[in-house]
Amino acid sequence: MRAVDAIMECLKAEGVDVVFGYPGGANLPTYDAFYDAGIHHVLVRHEAGAGHAAEGYAKATGKVGVAFGTSGPGATNLVTPIMDAMMDSVPVVFFTGQVRTELLGTDGFQEADTIGITMPAVKHSFLITDPRELPRTIHEAFHIAGTGRPGPVVIDLPMDLSKADIPYEPVTDVHLPGYQPRTTGNAKQIRQAARALAASRRPVFYTGGGVISAGAHEELRELVRYGGFPITSTLMGLGAYPAPDPQWLGMLGMHGTRTANYSIDEADLVVVIGARFDDRVTGKLSEFAPRAKFVHIDVDPAEVSKNIPAHIPLVGDAKLVLPKLLEEYRALDADKARLDAWWQRIRTWQERHPLRYEPAEGTEIKPQSVVEAIYTVTGGEAIISSDVGQHQMWGAQYYHYPEPRRWINSGGLGTMGFGLPAAIGAQMGVPDRLNVVITGDGSIQMNIQELATIRQEGLPIKVVILNNGYLGMVRQWQELFWQERYSSVDMNTFGGEEAFPDFVKLADAYGIRGVRLTDSTSLEDDLRAAFEAEGPAFIDVRVTRDEKVYPMIAPGEPARNMVG
Amino acid sequence: MVDTNELLSLDDLHAAGSIRTGRKHVLSVLVENKPGVLTRVSGLFTRRGFNIDTLSVGPTDDERISRITLTLDGASQPIDQVTKQLHKLINVLKIKDLEPAETVARELALFKVSVDAQTRSEVRELAEVFRGKVVDIGKRSIIVEITGERSKIEAFEKLVRSYGLVEMIRTGEVAISRGREET
């Protein structure tokens, strides 16, 4: 069997039915195998689109995403998605073509040292040197990508080897002596954590994307509900605990709610699960939860005590650890009334500091109100893919996620251009659910070519552009911290005839329905009409130009000094 | 760190954070003998901003496995983070942070010292005291081989500097734990 046909067999054995990619010289043999392999190959318009689509697929389904690119520029175009997947722990296997073995190291046409370039951005990578190793390597790659703390794995395949005739036998076992993620959690530490919880009077749960990766949302909900604990999460963790909910405090961090941030500030015990104390969450690190003890549960030992020393470190898979923690906590029969005063204090903050914005005057559309309208129109049931910037923060604040894997965004790396291709992957993975992209006039233009992919695949994705004609988040920082010196932030997408590009005409050029919304009084109805119409929609919403994301922890400040 | 337009002093730029042990550490790292493994290890150190004092790589009694011996300064490096991050590399099989008292550590160094007819014998005597070997003698120079712990090598270096040290090369420490147990 040709090595490339063995790739197809391995993909099928891994349950892969859809991949994202772009052909070129060095991966021609692979694409010949795709021709009749019975695997749906989504042809994107830029390799970055393939990588982000594979991420979106993985984030929406929990399965391993797959992306293909050719050698040289094909591989370097995948570097951003690879790093993105690393930062957000997304399981994706990237297949890159490579020049013939004899050309390696000679600066051959379209040669790049893909393994070298991607080394600091991968969970692991493989350069194939013996085609007979390919099947085993592919299964090892899927195993590494999808288990423990998930992440990207690169397989670099020289063209000559991909054409080799190899004996193929299904691989049923994977043997990686240096890779044994610890999963169960130390029983003694779990008991200590339960005791700390029972003794705490001002506990807060702070959860992250790890809970979603682990599929541990049910276990989390059970524990938090049983104990009556207040809970907040990072940007990546939204949906693990349902929102809205009486115990849900809203998002934590720089643009989180005051209630969530104040609660952490005054907590005596913070239970951190699948989160990593990112600077966008903690603000000034030395003043983060200054009165609290930390229980830190994570499957990656290197995250525990990396930024803040944990009093009770607990290395393990949240799905296995949380039920044991609940059992131990139940056995202690803690008095729920001990939390009454704490809840009273939290309710006061909630009443005093709800998320709010100045309502618009006349027909002007506030960007926050667009997200609220999307929430109303979709009944909270859509998968929202977001780009990066102000719209992302509003998407996190004003849409409420009742389930995990409904909020798909680039948190760690903050990759503009992520949203549209990610939605393609999400829609391919979850075809029956409405997929909406919340984006901005800056971000959308970073991978706008993927409109062609949407058209080609006939995907009914609804793209909502919060168009303020600015790189809004940069502009916000220039206004607040750089004396209003607005340097290179005007995108010229706002205004009358002179605005460009005309997003409606642009959509039209791709054969996609374009809509422009400028009137707040009919916003909800207009959005509903655009969402209900069949097929994709590209919706240019002209919003208040200088709106800012609030509340905000200014950089280097502690949470209690939130502004706005 | 504040990321606004305030000027930052160099002191502010010093990384805060993880626990420092304040002593020297010798890490014995068993890795799979595969291409690129050393690059992964050294790349990790660069990326995470860890500094290696010495590094030596060599085969073990099992041809599929190599041993990397690293020495690090625990006063400036978060050793705990170093080992945890190293463990995440798929090709890393085992890491041991060797206890100084329970460890035999050796390093080999070659010193090329400039000598004349009179000082030649002085340097040879010094080498003898350090149980070193003279491995090359020329009219104007002499090469001495010293094996031992780092402190011994550093002591010898100090002494021969006054004669004129032309060049020196050190292998970096290799280490093995005392007793029957495997490192």
Side-chain angles (χ1 to χ4, degrees), chain A residues 1-7 26 29-30 98-102 104 127-135 156-166:
Chain A
M1 182 184 289
R2 290 184 305 176
V4 287
D5 295 316
I7 296 179
T30 308
Q98 184 53 274
V99 297
R100 298 195 304 275
T101 318
E102 66 189 53
L104 274 174
L127 171 65
I128 303 297
T129 52
D130 179 346
R132 288 168 303 179
E133 285 170 6
L134 188 57
D156 199 27
L157 176 60
M159 185 182 181
D160 52 333
L161 304 184
S162 73
K163 292 191 288 187
D165 185 26
I166 60 166

PDB file of all heavy atoms in Angstrom, chain A residues 1-7 26 29-30 98-102 104 127-135 156-166:
ATOM      1  N   MET A   1       0.851  -1.205   0.000  1.00  0.00           N
ATOM      2  CA  MET A   1       0.000   0.000   0.000  1.00  0.00           C
ATOM      3  C   MET A   1       0.887   1.256   0.000  1.00  0.00           C
ATOM      4  O   MET A   1       1.918   1.273   0.661  1.00  0.00           O
ATOM      5  CB  MET A   1      -0.864  -0.017   1.274  1.00  0.00           C
ATOM      6  CG  MET A   1      -1.821   1.144   1.392  1.00  0.00           C
ATOM      7  SD  MET A   1      -2.729   1.145   2.970  1.00  0.00           S
ATOM      8  CE  MET A   1      -3.839  -0.233   2.789  1.00  0.00           C
ATOM      9  N   ARG A   2       0.441   2.280  -0.735  1.00  0.00           N
ATOM     10  CA  ARG A   2       1.208   3.533  -0.692  1.00  0.00           C
ATOM     11  C   ARG A   2       1.104   4.136   0.723  1.00  0.00           C
ATOM     12  O   ARG A   2       0.047   4.054   1.361  1.00  0.00           O
ATOM     13  CB  ARG A   2       0.638   4.556  -1.674  1.00  0.00           C
ATOM     14  CG  ARG A   2       0.862   4.230  -3.149  1.00  0.00           C
ATOM     15  CD  ARG A   2       0.338   5.377  -4.000  1.00  0.00           C
ATOM     16  NE  ARG A   2      -1.072   5.672  -3.704  1.00  0.00           N
ATOM     17  CZ  ARG A   2      -1.744   6.682  -4.248  1.00  0.00           C
ATOM     18  NH1 ARG A   2      -1.143   7.508  -5.097  1.00  0.00           N
ATOM     19  NH2 ARG A   2      -3.004   6.888  -3.957  1.00  0.00           N
ATOM     20  N   ALA A   3       2.168   4.779   1.143  1.00  0.00           N
ATOM     21  CA  ALA A   3       2.162   5.391   2.483  1.00  0.00           C
ATOM     22  C   ALA A   3       0.983   6.356   2.623  1.00  0.00           C
ATOM     23  O   ALA A   3       0.338   6.416   3.667  1.00  0.00           O
ATOM     24  CB  ALA A   3       3.480   6.114   2.743  1.00  0.00           C
ATOM     25  N   VAL A   4       0.695   7.097   1.569  1.00  0.00           N
ATOM     26  CA  VAL A   4      -0.409   8.070   1.659  1.00  0.00           C
ATOM     27  C   VAL A   4      -1.763   7.383   1.820  1.00  0.00           C
ATOM     28  O   VAL A   4      -2.671   7.926   2.454  1.00  0.00           O
ATOM     29  CB  VAL A   4      -0.428   9.023   0.441  1.00  0.00           C
ATOM     30  CG1 VAL A   4       0.710  10.019   0.532  1.00  0.00           C
ATOM     31  CG2 VAL A   4      -0.403   8.264  -0.870  1.00  0.00           C
ATOM     32  N   ASP A   5      -1.900   6.172   1.240  1.00  0.00           N
ATOM     33  CA  ASP A   5      -3.154   5.442   1.439  1.00  0.00           C
ATOM     34  C   ASP A   5      -3.242   4.929   2.873  1.00  0.00           C
ATOM     35  O   ASP A   5      -4.338   4.851   3.452  1.00  0.00           O
ATOM     36  CB  ASP A   5      -3.261   4.288   0.439  1.00  0.00           C
ATOM     37  CG  ASP A   5      -3.347   4.801  -0.998  1.00  0.00           C
ATOM     38  OD1 ASP A   5      -4.100   5.775  -1.224  1.00  0.00           O
ATOM     39  OD2 ASP A   5      -2.636   4.271  -1.874  1.00  0.00           O
ATOM     40  N   ALA A   6      -2.068   4.610   3.430  1.00  0.00           N
ATOM     41  CA  ALA A   6      -2.040   4.208   4.844  1.00  0.00           C
ATOM     42  C   ALA A   6      -2.488   5.370   5.728  1.00  0.00           C
ATOM     43  O   ALA A   6      -3.149   5.168   6.750  1.00  0.00           O
ATOM     44  CB  ALA A   6      -0.646   3.743   5.233  1.00  0.00           C
ATOM     45  N   ILE A   7      -2.139   6.617   5.336  1.00  0.00           N
ATOM     46  CA  ILE A   7      -2.610   7.791   6.100  1.00  0.00           C
ATOM     47  C   ILE A   7      -4.135   7.775   6.160  1.00  0.00           C
ATOM     48  O   ILE A   7      -4.739   7.962   7.224  1.00  0.00           O
ATOM     49  CB  ILE A   7      -2.137   9.121   5.451  1.00  0.00           C
ATOM     50  CG1 ILE A   7      -0.616   9.231   5.472  1.00  0.00           C
ATOM     51  CG2 ILE A   7      -2.778  10.316   6.170  1.00  0.00           C
ATOM     52  CD1 ILE A   7      -0.078  10.502   4.819  1.00  0.00           C
ATOM     53  N   ALA A  26       4.490  19.437  -2.519  1.00  0.00           N
ATOM     54  CA  ALA A  26       5.063  18.387  -1.688  1.00  0.00           C
ATOM     55  C   ALA A  26       4.029  17.436  -1.109  1.00  0.00           C
ATOM     56  O   ALA A  26       4.381  16.351  -0.653  1.00  0.00           O
ATOM     57  CB  ALA A  26       5.890  19.003  -0.554  1.00  0.00           C
ATOM     58  N   PRO A  29       1.000  13.641  -3.402  1.00  0.00           N
ATOM     59  CA  PRO A  29       0.614  12.237  -3.220  1.00  0.00           C
ATOM     60  C   PRO A  29      -0.538  12.093  -2.223  1.00  0.00           C
ATOM     61  O   PRO A  29      -1.463  11.309  -2.437  1.00  0.00           O
ATOM     62  CB  PRO A  29       1.896  11.587  -2.682  1.00  0.00           C
ATOM     63  CG  PRO A  29       2.999  12.472  -3.161  1.00  0.00           C
ATOM     64  CD  PRO A  29       2.444  13.863  -3.150  1.00  0.00           C
ATOM     65  N   THR A  30      -0.481  12.872  -1.120  1.00  0.00           N
ATOM     66  CA  THR A  30      -1.552  12.804  -0.129  1.00  0.00           C
ATOM     67  C   THR A  30      -2.887  13.184  -0.764  1.00  0.00           C
ATOM     68  O   THR A  30      -3.914  12.551  -0.521  1.00  0.00           O
ATOM     69  CB  THR A  30      -1.246  13.755   1.043  1.00  0.00           C
ATOM     70  OG1 THR A  30       0.066  13.477   1.516  1.00  0.00           O
ATOM     71  CG2 THR A  30      -2.240  13.593   2.166  1.00  0.00           C
ATOM     72  N   GLN A  98       6.713  17.844   2.969  1.00  0.00           N
ATOM     73  CA  GLN A  98       8.112  18.259   3.066  1.00  0.00           C
ATOM     74  C   GLN A  98       8.796  17.880   1.746  1.00  0.00           C
ATOM     75  O   GLN A  98       8.320  16.994   1.023  1.00  0.00           O
ATOM     76  CB  GLN A  98       8.785  17.568   4.270  1.00  0.00           C
ATOM     77  CG  GLN A  98      10.223  17.982   4.550  1.00  0.00           C
ATOM     78  CD  GLN A  98      10.412  19.490   4.676  1.00  0.00           C
ATOM     79  OE1 GLN A  98      10.596  20.181   3.668  1.00  0.00           O
ATOM     80  NE2 GLN A  98      10.330  20.012   5.888  1.00  0.00           N
ATOM     81  N   VAL A  99       9.880  18.572   1.431  1.00  0.00           N
ATOM     82  CA  VAL A  99      10.600  18.264   0.185  1.00  0.00           C
ATOM     83  C   VAL A  99      11.181  16.854   0.270  1.00  0.00           C
ATOM     84  O   VAL A  99      11.256  16.256   1.338  1.00  0.00           O
ATOM     85  CB  VAL A  99      11.728  19.284  -0.076  1.00  0.00           C
ATOM     86  CG1 VAL A  99      11.149  20.678  -0.264  1.00  0.00           C
ATOM     87  CG2 VAL A  99      12.752  19.266   1.055  1.00  0.00           C
ATOM     88  N   ARG A 100      11.606  16.340  -0.887  1.00  0.00           N
ATOM     89  CA  ARG A 100      12.188  14.997  -0.938  1.00  0.00           C
ATOM     90  C   ARG A 100      13.358  14.884   0.033  1.00  0.00           C
ATOM     91  O   ARG A 100      14.094  15.850   0.251  1.00  0.00           O
ATOM     92  CB  ARG A 100      12.709  14.689  -2.346  1.00  0.00           C
ATOM     93  CG  ARG A 100      11.669  14.687  -3.422  1.00  0.00           C
ATOM     94  CD  ARG A 100      12.222  14.012  -4.675  1.00  0.00           C
ATOM     95  NE  ARG A 100      13.466  14.600  -5.179  1.00  0.00           N
ATOM     96  CZ  ARG A 100      13.529  15.659  -5.990  1.00  0.00           C
ATOM     97  NH1 ARG A 100      12.410  16.270  -6.357  1.00  0.00           N
ATOM     98  NH2 ARG A 100      14.689  16.111  -6.428  1.00  0.00           N
ATOM     99  N   THR A 101      13.559  13.703   0.589  1.00  0.00           N
ATOM    100  CA  THR A 101      14.615  13.477   1.577  1.00  0.00           C
ATOM    101  C   THR A 101      15.969  13.987   1.096  1.00  0.00           C
ATOM    102  O   THR A 101      16.713  14.609   1.839  1.00  0.00           O
ATOM    103  CB  THR A 101      14.734  11.973   1.900  1.00  0.00           C
ATOM    104  OG1 THR A 101      13.426  11.435   2.022  1.00  0.00           O
ATOM    105  CG2 THR A 101      15.480  11.754   3.186  1.00  0.00           C
ATOM    106  N   GLU A 102      16.272  13.730  -0.184  1.00  0.00           N
ATOM    107  CA  GLU A 102      17.603  14.107  -0.695  1.00  0.00           C
ATOM    108  C   GLU A 102      17.764  15.632  -0.766  1.00  0.00           C
ATOM    109  O   GLU A 102      18.890  16.132  -0.810  1.00  0.00           O
ATOM    110  CB  GLU A 102      17.813  13.496  -2.079  1.00  0.00           C
ATOM    111  CG  GLU A 102      16.849  14.085  -3.111  1.00  0.00           C
ATOM    112  CD  GLU A 102      16.869  13.342  -4.446  1.00  0.00           C
ATOM    113  OE1 GLU A 102      16.704  12.125  -4.419  1.00  0.00           O
ATOM    114  OE2 GLU A 102      17.031  14.009  -5.477  1.00  0.00           O
ATOM    115  N   LEU A 104      16.464  17.684   1.580  1.00  0.00           N
ATOM    116  CA  LEU A 104      16.414  18.238   2.940  1.00  0.00           C
ATOM    117  C   LEU A 104      17.730  18.914   3.288  1.00  0.00           C
ATOM    118  O   LEU A 104      18.807  18.334   3.118  1.00  0.00           O
ATOM    119  CB  LEU A 104      16.138  17.129   3.964  1.00  0.00           C
ATOM    120  CG  LEU A 104      14.678  16.762   4.219  1.00  0.00           C
ATOM    121  CD1 LEU A 104      14.593  15.547   5.138  1.00  0.00           C
ATOM    122  CD2 LEU A 104      13.907  17.920   4.818  1.00  0.00           C
ATOM    123  N   LEU A 127       9.189  14.052  12.463  1.00  0.00           N
ATOM    124  CA  LEU A 127       9.666  14.086  11.085  1.00  0.00           C
ATOM    125  C   LEU A 127       9.772  12.634  10.645  1.00  0.00           C
ATOM    126  O   LEU A 127      10.502  11.841  11.263  1.00  0.00           O
ATOM    127  CB  LEU A 127      11.039  14.773  10.986  1.00  0.00           C
ATOM    128  CG  LEU A 127      11.733  14.676   9.617  1.00  0.00           C
ATOM    129  CD1 LEU A 127      10.938  15.415   8.544  1.00  0.00           C
ATOM    130  CD2 LEU A 127      13.155  15.247   9.683  1.00  0.00           C
ATOM    131  N   ILE A 128       9.038  12.280   9.610  1.00  0.00           N
ATOM    132  CA  ILE A 128       9.056  10.884   9.156  1.00  0.00           C
ATOM    133  C   ILE A 128      10.360  10.626   8.398  1.00  0.00           C
ATOM    134  O   ILE A 128      10.696  11.359   7.458  1.00  0.00           O
ATOM    135  CB  ILE A 128       7.838  10.597   8.249  1.00  0.00           C
ATOM    136  CG1 ILE A 128       6.539  10.907   8.986  1.00  0.00           C
ATOM    137  CG2 ILE A 128       7.867   9.145   7.767  1.00  0.00           C
ATOM    138  CD1 ILE A 128       6.275  10.065  10.203  1.00  0.00           C
ATOM    139  N   THR A 129      11.099   9.605   8.845  1.00  0.00           N
ATOM    140  CA  THR A 129      12.335   9.244   8.138  1.00  0.00           C
ATOM    141  C   THR A 129      12.240   7.837   7.549  1.00  0.00           C
ATOM    142  O   THR A 129      13.019   7.469   6.703  1.00  0.00           O
ATOM    143  CB  THR A 129      13.543   9.298   9.096  1.00  0.00           C
ATOM    144  OG1 THR A 129      13.233   8.514  10.256  1.00  0.00           O
ATOM    145  CG2 THR A 129      13.842  10.719   9.515  1.00  0.00           C
ATOM    146  N   ASP A 130      11.280   7.056   8.056  1.00  0.00           N
ATOM    147  CA  ASP A 130      11.062   5.704   7.552  1.00  0.00           C
ATOM    148  C   ASP A 130       9.556   5.550   7.312  1.00  0.00           C
ATOM    149  O   ASP A 130       8.773   5.623   8.262  1.00  0.00           O
ATOM    150  CB  ASP A 130      11.564   4.696   8.596  1.00  0.00           C
ATOM    151  CG  ASP A 130      11.342   3.249   8.157  1.00  0.00           C
ATOM    152  OD1 ASP A 130      10.566   3.021   7.190  1.00  0.00           O
ATOM    153  OD2 ASP A 130      11.920   2.349   8.794  1.00  0.00           O
ATOM    154  N   PRO A 131       9.146   5.373   6.060  1.00  0.00           N
ATOM    155  CA  PRO A 131       7.703   5.360   5.768  1.00  0.00           C
ATOM    156  C   PRO A 131       6.961   4.244   6.496  1.00  0.00           C
ATOM    157  O   PRO A 131       5.759   4.362   6.746  1.00  0.00           O
ATOM    158  CB  PRO A 131       7.640   5.158   4.257  1.00  0.00           C
ATOM    159  CG  PRO A 131       8.980   4.661   3.848  1.00  0.00           C
ATOM    160  CD  PRO A 131       9.956   5.191   4.849  1.00  0.00           C
ATOM    161  N   ARG A 132       7.677   3.196   6.885  1.00  0.00           N
ATOM    162  CA  ARG A 132       7.006   2.110   7.602  1.00  0.00           C
ATOM    163  C   ARG A 132       6.558   2.545   8.995  1.00  0.00           C
ATOM    164  O   ARG A 132       5.680   1.935   9.601  1.00  0.00           O
ATOM    165  CB  ARG A 132       7.944   0.898   7.709  1.00  0.00           C
ATOM    166  CG  ARG A 132       8.133   0.182   6.376  1.00  0.00           C
ATOM    167  CD  ARG A 132       9.264  -0.806   6.473  1.00  0.00           C
ATOM    168  NE  ARG A 132      10.500  -0.124   6.879  1.00  0.00           N
ATOM    169  CZ  ARG A 132      11.662  -0.743   7.072  1.00  0.00           C
ATOM    170  NH1 ARG A 132      11.761  -2.038   6.928  1.00  0.00           N
ATOM    171  NH2 ARG A 132      12.742  -0.042   7.406  1.00  0.00           N
ATOM    172  N   GLU A 133       7.173   3.636   9.502  1.00  0.00           N
ATOM    173  CA  GLU A 133       6.796   4.146  10.828  1.00  0.00           C
ATOM    174  C   GLU A 133       5.530   5.002  10.785  1.00  0.00           C
ATOM    175  O   GLU A 133       4.972   5.372  11.816  1.00  0.00           O
ATOM    176  CB  GLU A 133       7.920   5.042  11.377  1.00  0.00           C
ATOM    177  CG  GLU A 133       9.129   4.321  11.866  1.00  0.00           C
ATOM    178  CD  GLU A 133      10.250   5.312  12.157  1.00  0.00           C
ATOM    179  OE1 GLU A 133      10.027   6.532  12.080  1.00  0.00           O
ATOM    180  OE2 GLU A 133      11.364   4.838  12.436  1.00  0.00           O
ATOM    181  N   LEU A 134       5.114   5.355   9.566  1.00  0.00           N
ATOM    182  CA  LEU A 134       4.036   6.343   9.431  1.00  0.00           C
ATOM    183  C   LEU A 134       2.748   5.958  10.168  1.00  0.00           C
ATOM    184  O   LEU A 134       2.234   6.761  10.952  1.00  0.00           O
ATOM    185  CB  LEU A 134       3.788   6.625   7.940  1.00  0.00           C
ATOM    186  CG  LEU A 134       2.828   7.754   7.616  1.00  0.00           C
ATOM    187  CD1 LEU A 134       3.281   9.070   8.234  1.00  0.00           C
ATOM    188  CD2 LEU A 134       2.685   7.919   6.107  1.00  0.00           C
ATOM    189  N   PRO A 135       2.210   4.745   9.954  1.00  0.00           N
ATOM    190  CA  PRO A 135       0.943   4.415  10.636  1.00  0.00           C
ATOM    191  C   PRO A 135       1.044   4.535  12.155  1.00  0.00           C
ATOM    192  O   PRO A 135       0.208   5.170  12.789  1.00  0.00           O
ATOM    193  CB  PRO A 135       0.688   2.967  10.210  1.00  0.00           C
ATOM    194  CG  PRO A 135       1.409   2.817   8.907  1.00  0.00           C
ATOM    195  CD  PRO A 135       2.631   3.673   9.027  1.00  0.00           C
ATOM    196  N   ASP A 156       5.568  15.829   9.853  1.00  0.00           N
ATOM    197  CA  ASP A 156       6.190  16.375   8.647  1.00  0.00           C
ATOM    198  C   ASP A 156       6.627  15.195   7.769  1.00  0.00           C
ATOM    199  O   ASP A 156       7.404  14.346   8.207  1.00  0.00           O
ATOM    200  CB  ASP A 156       7.405  17.221   9.069  1.00  0.00           C
ATOM    201  CG  ASP A 156       7.844  18.189   7.982  1.00  0.00           C
ATOM    202  OD1 ASP A 156       6.994  18.600   7.164  1.00  0.00           O
ATOM    203  OD2 ASP A 156       9.048  18.533   7.954  1.00  0.00           O
ATOM    204  N   LEU A 157       6.119  15.152   6.535  1.00  0.00           N
ATOM    205  CA  LEU A 157       6.296  13.959   5.696  1.00  0.00           C
ATOM    206  C   LEU A 157       6.976  14.303   4.369  1.00  0.00           C
ATOM    207  O   LEU A 157       6.363  14.924   3.498  1.00  0.00           O
ATOM    208  CB  LEU A 157       4.914  13.327   5.430  1.00  0.00           C
ATOM    209  CG  LEU A 157       4.859  12.119   4.503  1.00  0.00           C
ATOM    210  CD1 LEU A 157       5.689  10.968   5.051  1.00  0.00           C
ATOM    211  CD2 LEU A 157       3.409  11.671   4.315  1.00  0.00           C
ATOM    212  N   PRO A 158       8.244  13.907   4.211  1.00  0.00           N
ATOM    213  CA  PRO A 158       8.928  14.156   2.941  1.00  0.00           C
ATOM    214  C   PRO A 158       8.220  13.463   1.777  1.00  0.00           C
ATOM    215  O   PRO A 158       7.712  12.349   1.916  1.00  0.00           O
ATOM    216  CB  PRO A 158      10.323  13.557   3.162  1.00  0.00           C
ATOM    217  CG  PRO A 158      10.501  13.562   4.637  1.00  0.00           C
ATOM    218  CD  PRO A 158       9.144  13.314   5.207  1.00  0.00           C
ATOM    219  N   MET A 159       8.197  14.149   0.635  1.00  0.00           N
ATOM    220  CA  MET A 159       7.375  13.702  -0.484  1.00  0.00           C
ATOM    221  C   MET A 159       7.748  12.310  -0.971  1.00  0.00           C
ATOM    222  O   MET A 159       6.870  11.486  -1.256  1.00  0.00           O
ATOM    223  CB  MET A 159       7.498  14.697  -1.621  1.00  0.00           C
ATOM    224  CG  MET A 159       6.565  14.358  -2.763  1.00  0.00           C
ATOM    225  SD  MET A 159       6.788  15.525  -4.097  1.00  0.00           S
ATOM    226  CE  MET A 159       5.586  14.931  -5.269  1.00  0.00           C
ATOM    227  N   ASP A 160       9.051  12.025  -1.077  1.00  0.00           N
ATOM    228  CA  ASP A 160       9.438  10.712  -1.604  1.00  0.00           C
ATOM    229  C   ASP A 160       8.938   9.582  -0.703  1.00  0.00           C
ATOM    230  O   ASP A 160       8.487   8.546  -1.184  1.00  0.00           O
ATOM    231  CB  ASP A 160      10.965  10.634  -1.785  1.00  0.00           C
ATOM    232  CG  ASP A 160      11.726  11.026  -0.528  1.00  0.00           C
ATOM    233  OD1 ASP A 160      11.177  11.822   0.272  1.00  0.00           O
ATOM    234  OD2 ASP A 160      12.847  10.551  -0.335  1.00  0.00           O
ATOM    235  N   LEU A 161       8.974   9.815   0.613  1.00  0.00           N
ATOM    236  CA  LEU A 161       8.535   8.768   1.526  1.00  0.00           C
ATOM    237  C   LEU A 161       7.028   8.555   1.430  1.00  0.00           C
ATOM    238  O   LEU A 161       6.534   7.454   1.655  1.00  0.00           O
ATOM    239  CB  LEU A 161       8.932   9.117   2.965  1.00  0.00           C
ATOM    240  CG  LEU A 161      10.423   9.385   3.194  1.00  0.00           C
ATOM    241  CD1 LEU A 161      10.692   9.608   4.671  1.00  0.00           C
ATOM    242  CD2 LEU A 161      11.276   8.222   2.676  1.00  0.00           C
ATOM    243  N   SER A 162       6.312   9.640   1.093  1.00  0.00           N
ATOM    244  CA  SER A 162       4.858   9.517   1.030  1.00  0.00           C
ATOM    245  C   SER A 162       4.425   8.628  -0.130  1.00  0.00           C
ATOM    246  O   SER A 162       3.320   8.123  -0.167  1.00  0.00           O
ATOM    247  CB  SER A 162       4.198  10.898   0.931  1.00  0.00           C
ATOM    248  OG  SER A 162       4.399  11.458  -0.348  1.00  0.00           O
ATOM    249  N   LYS A 163       5.331   8.427  -1.094  1.00  0.00           N
ATOM    250  CA  LYS A 163       4.992   7.571  -2.240  1.00  0.00           C
ATOM    251  C   LYS A 163       5.453   6.130  -2.056  1.00  0.00           C
ATOM    252  O   LYS A 163       5.206   5.282  -2.891  1.00  0.00           O
ATOM    253  CB  LYS A 163       5.630   8.153  -3.514  1.00  0.00           C
ATOM    254  CG  LYS A 163       5.003   9.484  -3.929  1.00  0.00           C
ATOM    255  CD  LYS A 163       5.435   9.921  -5.305  1.00  0.00           C
ATOM    256  CE  LYS A 163       6.884  10.384  -5.300  1.00  0.00           C
ATOM    257  NZ  LYS A 163       7.296  10.975  -6.598  1.00  0.00           N
ATOM    258  N   ALA A 164       6.153   5.882  -0.938  1.00  0.00           N
ATOM    259  CA  ALA A 164       6.721   4.546  -0.735  1.00  0.00           C
ATOM    260  C   ALA A 164       5.635   3.492  -0.595  1.00  0.00           C
ATOM    261  O   ALA A 164       4.537   3.766  -0.111  1.00  0.00           O
ATOM    262  CB  ALA A 164       7.607   4.563   0.517  1.00  0.00           C
ATOM    263  N   ASP A 165       5.980   2.296  -1.005  1.00  0.00           N
ATOM    264  CA  ASP A 165       5.078   1.164  -0.855  1.00  0.00           C
ATOM    265  C   ASP A 165       5.387   0.514   0.498  1.00  0.00           C
ATOM    266  O   ASP A 165       6.507   0.078   0.741  1.00  0.00           O
ATOM    267  CB  ASP A 165       5.330   0.175  -2.001  1.00  0.00           C
ATOM    268  CG  ASP A 165       4.334  -0.980  -1.969  1.00  0.00           C
ATOM    269  OD1 ASP A 165       3.223  -0.778  -1.435  1.00  0.00           O
ATOM    270  OD2 ASP A 165       4.689  -2.062  -2.458  1.00  0.00           O
ATOM    271  N   ILE A 166       4.425   0.497   1.400  1.00  0.00           N
ATOM    272  CA  ILE A 166       4.710  -0.046   2.741  1.00  0.00           C
ATOM    273  C   ILE A 166       3.702  -1.141   3.077  1.00  0.00           C
ATOM    274  O   ILE A 166       2.573  -1.144   2.577  1.00  0.00           O
ATOM    275  CB  ILE A 166       4.657   1.050   3.836  1.00  0.00           C
ATOM    276  CG1 ILE A 166       3.251   1.703   3.891  1.00  0.00           C
ATOM    277  CG2 ILE A 166       5.716   2.104   3.607  1.00  0.00           C
ATOM    278  CD1 ILE A 166       3.029   2.529   5.139  1.00  0.00           C
TER     279      ILE A 166
END
